[in-house]
Amino acid sequence: MTTEHVPLTLSEYQRRAQQTDHLPDTMGKGIDVRLPPLLGLSGEIGTLIAGYKKFLRDGTAYELFGANIKEELGDILWYLANAAVKFGLSLEEIAEFNLKKASDRWPPVSAGVRPKRTPVEHFDADFHRSEQLPRTFEVIIRPVKDPARPEPIIEVMWQGKRVGSKLGDNTYDDSGYRFHDAFHLANAAVLGWSPVARGVIFKCKRKSDPKIDAVEDGGRAIINEEAFVALMFAYARQHNC
């Protein structure tokens, strides 16, 4: 007679792991009871890293690394479960929260296609279509000649018309910053947010609500996004990415 294997859930692991908790109750000594599992996590992670360092140095000659990694990761999991208990949390709720956070930042891809936002997930869902960022758009950024300008110039075309101003780098070297509207367009496409794209490129400021028009679509919001984009551009240029 065989016993059917029942998959171990995070909550069941946490419950059973807690039964093996022999860490001292340090509350009476003026030490936070949450400190021992945090120290344990730090120590086990250090042990794992030290083992990997030896593996990098010795390669396959360090035969224990493959055998030990399951044990080290298991010890890390034990201390993680113990710390969660002492912070009043469950591993399942931590896992669910983390997956939601990760999927919000990097939406899962299925068959190469990212899921579309639902209408209510757009910041401007409650506004008239004329005051919404376009849900799909195709924009052309192309170089143009302008004898009056001392540097290379580009223009942005949408629906067959130039939108915004012709842009140069405004730098002594050919930095490519003239193409930075791509960041604004990416903010609009990926985040559903871009005061610059809304006000300058697509002309869909939410003027029907003067407060939102002033606070979220106005000059300060535009300056904040321009600063944010300048920071992203500088980072990308410095790291060649």
Side-chain angles (χ1 to χ4, degrees), residues 109-130:
V109 179
S110 177
V113 179
R114 294 190 181 277
K116 292 183 178 179
R117 289 189 185 92
T118 61
V120 296
E121 290 177 319
H122 292 273
F123 294 117
D124 54 12
D126 296 331
F127 288 82
H128 187 270
R129 189 167 183 176
S130 63

Side-chain angles (χ1 to χ4, degrees), residues 93-108:
E93 67 179 300
I94 292 172
E96 288 174 357
F97 179 84
N98 179 259
L99 285 177
K100 184 179 184 304
K101 172 184 171 184
S103 62
D104 284 345
R105 294 186 178 182
W106 298 280

Side-chain angles (χ1 to χ4, degrees), residues 167-231:
L167 298 176
D169 290 343
N170 299 129
T171 53
Y172 286 111
D173 60 336
D174 188 355
S175 67
Y177 192 68
R178 58 191 179 276
F179 296 100
H180 81 275
D181 273 348
F183 286 92
H184 298 304
L185 293 167
N187 287 340
V190 177
L191 303 177
W193 165 88
S194 172
V196 173
R198 185 183 293 281
V200 178
I201 298 176
F202 299 122
K203 304 290 186 183
C204 56
K205 292 184 68 178
R206 291 165 286 183
K207 294 183 178 296
S208 61
D209 188 323
K211 190 71 174 281
I212 286 183
D213 181 40
V215 176
E216 297 186 23
D217 300 346
R220 184 173 183 179
I222 288 174
I223 290 171
N224 285 340
E225 188 189 4
E226 289 287 10
F228 174 57
V229 165
L231 179 64

Side-chain angles (χ1 to χ4, degrees), residues 131-143:
E131 293 185 339
Q132 293 178 348
L133 286 169
R135 300 313 189 227
T136 61
F137 57 83
E138 182 176 330
V139 171
I140 298 173
I141 301 177
R142 65 185 186 184

Side-chain angles (χ1 to χ4, degrees), residues 149-165:
R149 302 286 289 271
E151 58 183 347
I153 302 298
I154 62 96
E155 64 180 8
V156 178
M157 303 291 294
W158 179 55
Q159 294 183 333
K161 298 179 181 179
R162 180 169 64 83
V163 291
S165 303

